[in-house]
Amino acid sequence: MFFTFRSVLHSRLGRIYITSRFSSTCPTRKFQPILEDLTTELKQHQPKFSIPADGIRILSQPSEFYSMLLDMIRSAEKRIFLSSLYIGSSESELISTLMDRLAEKESLHLYLQLDFNRSTRPGPSSTATILLPLLRAFPDRVHVSLFRSPSLRGIMAKVVPPRYNEGWGTWHAKVYGVDEHLIISGANLNKDYFTNRRDRYIRFTAQPRLSNYCFNFLREISPFSYRLVPFDAVTRENHGPHLNPHSETRGDYALVWPDPETHPHHIGEKMYQALTSFQITNREKLDEEEKDEKLNQCSSTSSDITIFPLIQAGQFQVREEERFFQLLFAYLKKAAMRATLPGVGSLPASVSSIVQKQPMMDMTSGYFNLYKPYQKLLLLHPQVGARIVAASPKANGFYGSQGISGRIPEGYTYLEQKFMRAAKQTANRFALFGAGQSNIELDEWEKDGWTYHAKGLWLSPSADSSPVLSLFGSTNLNARSADIDTELSFIMILPPPPSPLPPPPSVSGHSQTVKDNAVTLREQLSQEIADIRKDVRPWKGGSRKVRWLTKIIVFLVGNKL
């Protein structure tokens, strides 16, 4: 293979580039062997789902997410299972919709998995309080589990104010399921997320396997969670207000710990065993089902989408998201190395599948404090371009808050400054050696009257092609998500576009074009990126002043941002 190489360094506010230009280009289909290798590797560790592309839809607006969620609940037959950080105090319509459907369907059960600390904040409108009418009306069919991180314990648990105890870890998975339908998102169940807080929302229709997986995942967590029970119900159950030593009462409700033999602070080993066994069991089960389907000649079609769930629970030593990032960049690096080998066309097909155009990774987080190992992977792999979208200070959910939390947007500016300095230093090193190809661009999202909460990534074979992979779910890609919170995210891998064929003639003699469902989904992902980027502007953090006290606070809180 003959190519010309040119390396140019550009540096301006918020952008660092090292660009490479080859004399030939590589179509999207050439990128597919990389994804096939990655899929094969991931399948050794993660449960794998094959889903028809027409069963997946990308939603774009908070109002659309809310409307669809309510419609799903109104049509529920057997189960509703919702996982979120919390439910907002003003969500009377959501609560009443759940109440109405439970009254209509006597066999319907509601399962809620929420965060303990966020849901039990003091006050008359806490999540726990607003759920009590549901629990009293349907005591045998409403199941509320509240997960509390075991990291906050001892004297710290007594002195840390309720507003800040989330810094030691939260239940962060966002799964909204009804029967065999799902919405996977990063959004919580609160008014802002239904109106003017930008996020991502992936709808799965009629997918029993994936729905069962998500439902069973939430049930796997419930033995490690407190059960929310009205206080009068506890009195009836126990013939008096008697609870095991690890349970507690707060006003008109009780928080019942399900395992009297295990202290809530000492669940680490059991959680690790439960999560790892859960993944292994599901992986083996799905593998067997896939083999049976192949034997019965009913395997997935070429337009099916591959989905891998990833559990990241760093405090319990479950780090599947990290393993994915390491694998992804390893395969991208191999592809770039193959592109520079002379005579590569004579090598085996698995080796000659090269990427001559620079792959483009779009990445976003409303709380941009990219986990250090991810930073290292991104900065030390200049063959992968990156366009990063972070929230501007005004689009940060803590903008205008009182007290220390009001400094959080400024803290993220400081972290962004540190990241861009590291990016510039790395770019200078690669330019010095006259090699490498990278494009790191940091932009900030801002829209009048809105806040920003979207997270995830999209990988495209080049800047001018549609995504072939996306990471979505609850992870913010930061140190909190990696080390402290408990996250559930998903990898979506899309097949290549079909080989171009002459369109079939119509009855009238004119040709017709039938669009592949996977191509349509790739276009939806492209549009999702475009919708986010239409409200971005070049990063201005380099010119913003960060006060010394804010820097000290960031140093002290470490990975809690």
Side-chain angles (χ1 to χ4, degrees):
M1 180 188 69
F2 298 98
F3 62 88
T4 60
F5 180 88
R6 183 177 69 182
S7 179
V8 183
L9 173 68
H10 304 279
S11 179
R12 66 180 186 270
L13 183 63
R15 288 176 168 80
I16 294 95
Y17 298 95
I18 306 171
T19 61
S20 300
R21 187 178 69 182
F22 294 88
S23 59
S24 58
T25 61
C26 185
T28 299
R29 292 183 65 84
K30 291 284 188 175
F31 199 76
Q32 190 60 23
I34 301 169
L35 296 179
E36 291 174 356
D37 291 345
L38 177 64
T39 300
T40 300
E41 184 74 28
L42 284 171
K43 190 180 175 183
Q44 304 305 311
H45 307 284
Q46 308 301 135
K48 173 180 173 288
F49 297 88
S50 294
I51 295 180
D54 60 0
I56 306 174
R57 179 183 165 196
I58 313 298
L59 310 182
S60 61
Q61 295 298 323
S63 57
E64 187 180 14
F65 161 58
Y66 184 50
S67 175
M68 185 163 289
L69 176 62
L70 293 181
D71 287 344
M72 288 168 59
I73 292 170
R74 292 180 182 119
S75 64
E77 295 291 333
K78 296 180 180 179
R79 65 186 182 187
I80 301 170
F81 51 103
L82 309 176
S83 171
S84 187
L85 184 65
Y86 68 106
I87 298 176
S89 59
S90 62
E91 298 318 309
S92 57
E93 182 181 25
L94 175 61
I95 299 298
S96 64
T97 303
L98 291 167
M99 184 81 76
D100 291 345
R101 192 57 181 172
L102 284 162
E104 293 168 358
K105 289 288 179 178
E106 294 185 358
S107 61
L108 178 64
H109 281 249
L110 168 64
Y111 302 86
L112 295 171
Q113 182 70 53
L114 307 167
D115 181 68
F116 180 101
N117 289 327
R118 189 61 179 268
S119 297
T120 59
R121 284 183 176 178
S125 57
S126 69
T127 298
T129 301
I130 66 174
L131 291 175
L132 292 179
L134 280 168
L135 287 161
R136 291 191 176 107
F138 310 101
D140 299 324
R141 295 193 285 130
V142 175
H143 318 272
V144 181
S145 299
L146 305 178
F147 179 83
R148 179 161 65 179
S149 168
S151 298
L152 185 61
R153 61 179 73 176
I155 187 65
M156 291 299 291
K158 293 179 172 60
V159 301
V160 174
R163 183 175 173 82
Y164 301 104
N165 55 19
E166 296 173 36
W168 280 259
T170 66
W171 173 258
H172 205 242
K174 317 295 171 59
V175 176
Y176 306 114
V178 171
D179 297 327
E180 297 180 350
H181 313 294
L182 286 169
I183 299 176
I184 305 298
S185 181
N188 291 303
L189 298 175
N190 186 36
K191 179 180 178 181
D192 291 349
Y193 295 90
F194 303 150
T195 54
N196 61 348
R197 191 157 171 78
R198 187 66 167 89
D199 217 306
R200 299 181 68 194
Y201 329 91
I202 316 296
R203 167 75 189 270
F204 294 86
T205 304
Q207 300 304 320
R209 287 178 179 169
L210 187 60
S211 296
N212 286 338
Y213 170 89
C214 290
F215 174 76
N216 291 333
F217 172 67
L218 301 186
R219 301 312 295 155
E220 194 73 27
I221 301 300
S222 62
F224 305 99
S225 304
Y226 290 83
R227 185 165 61 99
L228 177 65
V229 183
F231 185 74
D232 49 359
V234 174
T235 303
R236 288 195 304 271
E237 288 178 10
N238 297 280
H239 306 290
H242 305 295
L243 295 168
N244 67 60
H246 307 314
S247 301
E248 57 184 275
T249 59
R250 297 190 182 183
D252 52 357
Y253 63 83
L255 300 161
V256 180
W257 181 249
D259 183 4
E261 304 302 317
T262 303
H263 195 284
H265 293 163
H266 302 151
I267 62 173
E269 182 60 31
K270 285 188 175 182
M271 271 286 288
Y272 170 79
Q273 293 295 339
L275 293 175
T276 53
S277 297
F278 176 77
Q279 290 293 74
I280 291 170
T281 299
N282 279 277
R283 175 172 56 80
E284 292 176 347
K285 177 185 176 183
L286 290 164
D287 284 348
E288 287 300 317
E289 290 177 355
E290 185 178 49
K291 291 175 184 177
D292 291 342
E293 288 175 348
K294 287 181 178 179
L295 288 174
N296 296 324
Q297 297 183 338
C298 55
S299 58
S300 59
T301 68
S302 59
S303 64
D304 277 0
I305 308 303
T306 300
I307 301 289
F308 291 105
L310 303 175
I311 299 173
Q312 181 74 12
Q315 65 174 318
F316 305 118
Q317 303 308 311
V318 178
R319 297 181 176 273
E320 296 178 352
E321 180 188 301
E322 290 181 55
R323 180 168 55 201
F324 160 72
F325 269 90
Q326 292 164 357
L327 288 173
L328 177 62
F329 278 91
Y331 281 109
L332 290 173
K333 183 177 181 180
K334 286 180 182 178
M337 292 176 64
R338 293 168 185 167
T340 63
L341 293 174
V344 71
S346 62
L347 296 176
S350 62
V351 178
S352 61
S353 56
I354 59 174
V355 180
Q356 296 176 4
K357 276 192 173 184
Q358 185 184 59
M360 177 58 67
M361 182 178 292
D362 285 280
M363 182 180 294
T364 190
S365 175
Y367 303 110
F368 185 71
N369 176 21
L370 193 61
Y371 185 42
K372 285 294 192 295
Y374 301 168
Q375 285 192 32
K376 186 176 180 181
L377 287 169
L378 195 61
L379 296 177
L380 297 183
H381 288 77
Q383 64 274 12
V384 181
R387 299 187 304 182
I388 301 169
V389 175
S392 77
K394 287 185 178 180
N396 187 294
F398 291 94
Y399 183 77
S401 295
Q402 299 298 313
I404 294 177
S405 61
R407 290 182 180 262
I408 289 177
E410 189 177 312
Y412 281 107
T413 293
Y414 179 52
L415 293 166
E416 292 161 7
Q417 290 173 350
K418 293 175 68 175
F419 172 75
M420 292 307 291
R421 281 197 296 270
K424 185 173 182 179
Q425 291 168 2
T426 303
N428 287 335
R429 285 199 298 271
F430 280 113
L432 199 63
F433 289 100
Q437 46 181 340
S438 180
N439 173 1
I440 298 177
E441 174 185 330
L442 177 60
D443 296 305
E444 56 187 37
W445 190 97
E446 186 173 315
K447 184 177 181 180
D448 189 37
W450 285 59
T451 54
Y452 189 71
H453 200 251
K455 69 265 298 187
L457 68 81
W458 305 256
L459 179 67
S460 305
S462 63
D464 56 358
S465 60
S466 298
V468 293
L469 178 150
S470 184
L471 168 68
F472 60 96
S474 65
T475 178
N476 279 306
L477 304 173
N478 56 16
R480 272 197 65 103
S481 291
D483 290 333
I484 299 177
D485 294 338
T486 302
E487 309 278 8
L488 179 65
S489 299
F490 297 82
I491 299 299
M492 178 192 299
I493 299 179
L494 295 92
S499 301
L501 295 172
S506 67
V507 176
S508 62
H510 298 290
S511 62
Q512 293 178 324
T513 300
V514 179
K515 185 177 292 186
D516 182 84
N517 288 326
V519 173
T520 301
L521 183 57
R522 289 183 63 197
E523 291 174 352
Q524 289 184 46
L525 290 169
S526 291
Q527 187 60 49
E528 185 181 34
I529 298 171
D531 287 344
I532 288 174
R533 294 197 63 84
K534 72 181 181 182
D535 293 306
V536 306
R537 62 187 187 187
W539 179 68
K540 298 180 179 180
S543 60
R544 293 189 180 108
K545 182 180 179 181
V546 178
R547 292 166 287 182
W548 279 105
L549 180 57
T550 300
K551 294 180 181 180
I552 293 171
I553 293 171
V554 170
F555 174 78
L556 292 175
V557 301
N559 61 357
K560 292 179 175 58
L561 281 178

